[in-house]
Amino acid sequence: MIRRQEPLLRTAAWVEGWVFTLSSLVCLAIAGTVPGYAIAIALPLYAVMLLGYLMVGRSSATLWVVVSTVAGLALSGLLGSVVTEHPGILSALLLVSGGGIGAMAIVLQGSLSGRVYLTAVFLVNLAIALSSMTSDEAVQALTIFIVSWSVNTLVGIWITDSVRRARDRIARLGAVHRAERWASELEAERRRSARLLHDTVLATLTLLAHSGRGVDPDALRVQASDDAVLLRQLRQGETPAPRSSGTYNLRTDQAPPVTQSIKALQQRFKRRGLTVHWHGDGDVTLPPVVRSAFLLSLGECLENVRRHAQVDEADVTITQDAGGVRAMVTDSGVGFETDGVDSARLGLAESVVARIRDVGGNARIFSAPGAGTTVVLEVPR
């Protein structure tokens, strides 16, 4: 009957059943002269009711509903049998019949079998309680019965409806959250693809547009070949790793040390006409995703020096501590106004700053016309 009912319903029935049952016990204790046999029988029945309600609050087993209601009906019959000689226990009888047993209406109103059982208990309880009362007492008892059982039933309906509406809202919020997450992931993938194309294919096309001046022809052919592989993978729906081309390996899963990759960067840009001076001791270890973003951003900084700074040398200084790794890329070129960079250009905004921030790092750019450029890349370990 209550196997699928909400824990909230069971808790409410347990609390209300305890409140009314204990109140009935207190009224019985202060009622004055009550036959000893009635007390001897009533106390175990009160204990069974309290135990039953306690278990109803903790378990959805139907057994405890039956135990509580049967003990309540027996207690109601016992008190009703002596109420004529001892009118002082009328309050105890009404509390246990109207509220003690009636608390079950909270959990039983949600199913057809529960409502049938609830109706039968109500009618039996009413008949037992009214059988030994005077007409005035019967009117009072009937009023209390109707009010208490109706309130309990309405409480159960209200809790059930509130839980249903809360679940509906949670489901809608979950759907909205999934849609937002999907849109965010789609946007992040679009930005990664834009960075990838900017760092590889567009860079190669730029070299070709300038007739490959200052670049070794063999290096240009290798770069163009790698870019062709990249475009083929993208067209077939594959995801290159680590989403780069050129001297960055598209296929291997084993990432070389950062120092080795920096040396590869030196050789790559030397073939393109830019000498890179590397400063820093020891190898650098980073998580794969952070390492990829760090090296790709560093390569883009050097590519910007080669294209725009009008110098043939750049310095890269690597430092590290317990918190992370820092790279400082410096050139003595023509510089630029950092506030005057076109927002449509992807080089700094996406391939450097956004890429580093996506892995929890920070990128700072210092430059002025005629004063060269310094880019500081900071990433966490």
Side-chain angles (χ1 to χ4, degrees):
M1 287 179 288
I2 63 169
R3 192 167 301 278
R4 295 183 176 84
Q5 290 295 336
E6 294 295 332
L8 185 59
L9 290 174
R10 299 199 304 269
T11 301
W14 162 51
V15 172
E16 184 167 338
W18 264 57
V19 169
F20 278 94
T21 303
L22 287 175
S23 299
S24 173
L25 181 58
V26 171
C27 289
L28 181 64
I30 64 176
T33 58
V34 180
Y37 75 90
I39 295 293
I41 299 174
L43 290 179
L45 292 175
Y46 274 114
V48 171
M49 282 192 70
L50 293 173
L51 175 63
Y53 270 114
L54 179 63
M55 296 308 298
V56 165
R58 297 183 178 183
S59 170
S60 60
T62 304
L63 170 65
W64 298 109
V65 174
V66 176
V67 167
S68 298
T69 52
V70 170
L73 291 174
L75 183 58
S76 179
L78 174 65
L79 297 179
S81 65
V82 296
V83 70
T84 304
E85 293 81 11
H86 305 279
I89 67 172
L90 178 61
S91 297
L93 172 61
L94 294 177
L95 284 170
V96 76
S97 299
I101 303 175
M104 283 298 170
I106 295 177
V107 294
L108 295 178
Q109 47 72 38
S111 65
L112 177 60
S113 59
R115 288 191 290 270
V116 171
Y117 182 83
L118 183 64
T119 302
V121 170
F122 173 79
L123 294 176
V124 172
N125 189 19
L126 188 61
I128 292 174
L130 298 182
S131 60
S132 57
M133 293 183 183
T134 64
S135 57
D136 292 337
E137 292 173 342
V139 172
Q140 178 186 359
L142 183 60
T143 303
I144 293 176
F145 267 61
I146 293 175
V147 171
S148 60
W149 282 70
S150 299
V151 169
N152 288 326
T153 302
L154 292 175
V155 167
I157 294 173
W158 175 75
I159 292 177
T160 302
D161 184 64
S162 297
V163 170
R164 179 190 58 78
R165 286 187 282 110
R167 282 180 171 174
D168 290 343
R169 292 193 187 100
I170 292 172
R172 288 196 296 270
L173 288 174
V176 171
H177 173 70
R178 289 191 295 272
E180 290 180 350
R181 185 176 62 183
W182 179 81
S184 299
E185 291 174 352
L186 185 64
E187 175 62 17
E189 185 62 33
R190 184 196 66 78
R191 292 173 62 187
R192 284 194 294 267
S193 299
R195 295 170 193 163
L196 177 59
L197 291 175
H198 174 271
D199 296 352
T200 56
V201 178
L202 292 181
T204 304
L205 291 176
T206 301
L207 289 174
L208 292 174
H210 291 82
S211 303
R213 287 196 298 270
V215 180
D216 182 75
D218 290 335
L220 184 57
R221 280 194 291 272
V222 171
Q223 179 71 27
S225 176
D226 286 342
D227 289 344
V229 173
L230 169 66
L231 289 176
R232 190 177 305 113
Q233 288 178 325
L234 291 175
R235 184 179 62 187
Q236 293 174 353
E238 300 177 13
T239 303
R243 296 193 173 100
S244 57
S245 69
T247 56
Y248 301 121
N249 198 330
L250 276 169
R251 296 177 181 175
T252 180
D253 293 329
Q254 296 181 349
V258 172
T259 7
Q260 181 179 335
S261 298
I262 292 176
K263 291 178 181 178
L265 277 176
Q266 288 179 295
Q267 296 300 318
R268 172 188 176 188
F269 283 98
K270 185 176 181 180
R271 292 192 298 267
R272 293 187 176 187
L274 178 68
T275 300
V276 180
H277 302 288
W278 176 55
H279 312 279
D281 298 326
D283 193 19
V284 176
T285 57
L286 290 170
V289 175
V290 178
R291 177 188 178 282
S292 176
F294 180 72
L295 290 174
L296 290 172
S297 299
L298 182 58
E300 181 60 22
C301 291
L302 293 173
E303 180 65 21
N304 285 335
V305 173
R306 191 194 68 79
R307 285 193 207 172
H308 308 300
Q310 299 179 20
V311 293
D312 56 7
E313 291 186 351
D315 290 274
V316 176
T317 303
I318 305 290
T319 58
Q320 57 181 322
D321 54 32
V325 177
R326 182 182 295 103
M328 184 166 63
V329 183
T330 306
D331 69 74
S332 57
V334 297
F336 63 96
E337 290 285 353
T338 55
D339 295 336
V341 178
D342 187 354
S343 60
R345 300 187 63 175
L346 298 175
L348 284 174
E350 285 294 331
S351 293
V352 177
V353 177
R355 177 177 276 148
I356 290 294
R357 288 178 178 172
D358 281 351
V359 295
N362 188 33
R364 292 175 291 169
I365 303 167
F366 307 92
S367 185
T373 302
T374 296
V375 180
V376 179
L377 308 176
E378 298 172 311
V379 292
R381 284 191 181 280

